[in-house]
């Protein structure tokens, strides 16, 4: 049995993040909240999300799993205005989740989760830790888009830089320690990533969010951030693109 | 001889409604105003419209007919801002209608009406009468769009419901008597309609309009509403989709 | 050596105007400013532009030439907000121009100008001189677009008219001397022009700009206007379309 109410903006935030990687997801439900682990089809990126019970307006659940088609959930979100409350209720006899938004009732078939196993999330200890407003990353991505398919993240004790090198042209966005930025690293580190993945996740993060970046040399990057006043925790892991010699 | 002035918003409202069914129309013109009867090419829906002399800022006409290409009239509307007055004047010697918007003069060839006969509008006496703000119907349509190609309208003594049943999913919008809704029926009635027709007409109605719905079992639905402060009367009739056994 | 700072809005204004004709341009640079002469590939229209040193926030240059790909410059403009300052600096050792917008650095390969010769701009003395707010021309173009591929400009001692004649329909926009318009001509003059060229340049001019039109019978039209508080001078010359008998 699962029933919960949450703000449409909170649900929209979660769905936007997750749907950068996959369309059909399995949520693990406990009395303390919902969690999700997912990897994209190409195994390039991985997401871990925890939606705590306090992220909801009301929440009542036993241990279970729910499989959702996020495209359908996006359809429900289009029926809600910002500030609306969305009610979800499990209809176990029919294998459905019932969404209620105002006077609208939407009955949605659940996705079969029996073949969906949780990916194993690697535990990484990365050298550099940087905190940066998501708007700066979004600006760097816009600059990079016309130059190349890859983006390089680089950090030193005093700076953090996004850069992009094309055949003839290049672009970089450099942030110094002063510019509302926290940097914690003794040495210089640098890795290159596929721009489309990095762009999709960064654009899905609401403005006003602070992103914690963990970076190393030719290693995955980890993006850690909160949504919904800290009641939703997101870890996003993106594999590097190692340049062949 | 026909000459008239009307607000661009009024003309836009009329054109949006009519062009959900047809592109070339015949208006019957009398000293009391203009009327139109039209049916779409597939004979699924029918519209009856009366534009009274008071809907115009100025109006002077003898009995006649005018054939218009609504796509061209939409072009004229794009040249006008909200609040602008559009002047129309018949140029009988050239078979043209002259539109004036500010310092722009647009001479438009009239459509030949000799082969356009008025459809016979059936007189129906339908069981249930419901009044509902068009915004609620628009909301119901948005909810239905991803589920099916058909929409079911259902009314009982205490409620009115739009619903849509897909293979696995369903959606419904239910209005109770309290929610700014008038319902007059002793029994339950229910008919199903093609969603595209219903959607086109409901989306063309300006927000803030109250729609009077007349409904029965497996019968056409009649939508009756006013535009331009009650000086434009619209009857819209949509054939049901009878499910074959 | 060339380095300069200018408002993003000024650069955007220049680029929008020039790119109606060509994508790769050669600017001639002197200590007094930048100039450009360009003709489109079909030799239908020609532009002469002078960007005075005072149009820049700061400016330092020796005599030289710079070849730019305007599509890339548009990419830089997308990274700037209205009011932002864009810094340009020549990197002569690499044949690049470096753009700086806030914390973004964009290194752009220059276009080879060795094969780009300046077109010879004909000196014309045209009968009628008209001054008209660009908004009126933009309105006339919107009206003309659905009627024909050509637009006729006509002026007499007391009026200026844009008109467009289709097979069955026509449209005209007429301005009288009173309507914030200066007209200087003793006789009636009239020429017809390709609508797409006329439309592209007129739409690229910022609203609020006064356009000086020089017109004659079956002759090119000259559009003369200022940007950036009079510090950018533009002459635009468009060949007429002479109707064959």
């Amino acid at each position: 049995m699962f029933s919960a109410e949450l703000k449409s903006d909170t649900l929209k935030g979660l769905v936007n993040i997750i749907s950068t990687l996959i369309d059909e997801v399995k949520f693990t439900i406990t009395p303390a909240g919902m969690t999700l682990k997912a990897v994209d089809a190409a195994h390039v990126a991985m997401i871990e999300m925890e939606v705590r019970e306090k992220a909801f307006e009301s929440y009542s659940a036993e241990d279970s799993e729910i499989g959702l088609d996020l495209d359908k959930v996006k359809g429900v979100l289009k029926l809600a205005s910002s500030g609306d409350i969305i009610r979800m209720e499990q209809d176990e006899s029919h294998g459905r989740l019932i969404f209620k938004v105002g006077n609208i009732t939407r009955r949605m078939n659940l996705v079969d989760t029996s073949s969906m196993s949780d990916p194993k999330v690697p535990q990484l200890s990365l050298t550099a830790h940087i905190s940066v407003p998501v708007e700066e990353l979004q600006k760097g991505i816009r600059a990079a888009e016309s130059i190349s398919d890859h983006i390089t993240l680089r950090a030193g004790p005093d700076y953090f830089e996004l850069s992009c090198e094309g055949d003839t042209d290049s672009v970089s966005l450099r942030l110094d320690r002063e510019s509302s930025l926290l940097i914690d690293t003794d040495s210089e580190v640098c890795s290159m990533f596929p721009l489309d993945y990095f762009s999709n996740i960064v654009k899905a993060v609401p403005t006003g969010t602070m992103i914690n970046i963990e970076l190393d040399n030719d290693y995955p990057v980890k993006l850690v951030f909160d949504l919904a006043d800290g009641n939703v925790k997101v870890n996003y892991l993106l594999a590097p693109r190692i340049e062949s010699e």
Side-chain angles (χ1 to χ4, degrees), chain A:
Chain A
M1 183 54 207
F2 164 69
S3 76
E5 293 176 316
L6 85 172
K7 287 187 187 142
S8 64
D9 312 80
T10 304
L11 184 58
K12 192 175 184 176
L14 309 186
V15 168
N16 283 349
I17 298 287
I18 305 165
S19 61
T20 63
L21 286 195
I22 39 167
D23 287 333
E24 301 204 334
V25 295
K26 181 184 73 177
F27 279 102
T28 302
I29 293 182
T30 73
M34 298 164 66
T35 60
L36 166 138
K37 288 181 188 178
V39 66
D40 76 300
H43 285 71
V44 172
M46 194 175 272
I47 199 166
E48 239 186 330
M49 183 182 279
E50 180 192 351
V51 188
R52 294 186 185 161
E53 177 261 343
K54 290 181 78 174
F56 296 85
E57 304 299 303
S58 78
Y59 186 84
S60 154
E62 293 163 14
D63 287 343
S64 66
E65 287 180 355
I66 279 189
L68 284 178
D69 179 334
L70 293 185
D71 277 340
K72 290 185 181 180
V73 181
K74 285 181 181 175
V76 173
L77 285 164
K78 280 188 195 149
L79 308 178
S81 305
S82 177
D84 278 357
I85 299 294
I86 296 183
R87 183 169 177 78
M88 300 182 292
E89 214 169 282
Q90 201 172 358
D91 173 7
E92 272 170 301
S93 56
H94 296 87
R96 286 176 164 185
L97 195 63
I98 304 170
F99 288 85
K100 290 189 181 169
V101 190
N103 51 12
I104 296 173
T105 303
R106 173 76 169 80
R107 288 161 209 278
M108 190 183 294
N109 231 33
L110 292 176
V111 171
D112 179 21
T113 58
S114 58
S115 66
M116 298 164 84
S117 60
D118 278 346
K120 196 169 151 42
V121 180
Q123 294 306 310
L124 301 173
S125 170
L126 301 164
T127 301
H129 288 227
I130 307 111
S131 294
V132 56
V134 71
E135 290 83 353
E136 293 289 348
L137 302 182
Q138 289 167 346
K139 199 163 58 163
I141 285 166
R142 275 202 307 279
E145 271 166 350
S146 59
I147 306 290
S148 164
D149 293 338
H150 296 89
I151 191 162
T152 301
L153 307 188
R154 189 186 310 269
D158 290 319
Y159 75 96
F160 172 65
E161 191 186 67
L162 289 84
S163 67
C164 207
E165 201 70 41
D167 289 340
T168 57
D169 292 19
S170 71
V171 74
S172 64
L173 180 148
R174 186 184 171 100
L175 295 164
D176 296 316
R177 189 186 278 279
E178 298 88 65
S179 44
S180 72
L181 185 72
L182 295 169
I183 302 174
D184 181 11
T185 180
D186 291 331
S187 58
E188 274 216 350
V189 294
C190 166
S191 293
M192 186 164 70
F193 302 96
L195 181 57
D196 52 353
Y197 278 85
F198 189 72
S199 173
N200 286 342
I201 182 68
V202 167
K203 286 179 178 172
V205 176
T207 54
T209 306
M210 190 62 96
I211 307 271
N212 299 293
I213 301 172
E214 302 180 20
L215 189 68
D216 218 317
N217 286 309
D218 290 338
Y219 241 78
V221 65
K222 194 167 166 183
L223 306 179
V224 180
F225 54 94
D226 290 347
L227 301 173
D229 298 326
N231 292 312
V232 177
K233 304 279 181 193
V234 182
N235 282 356
Y236 184 96
L237 215 55
L238 176 59
R241 193 223 173 197
I242 314 284
E243 275 189 291
S244 48
E245 304 293 303

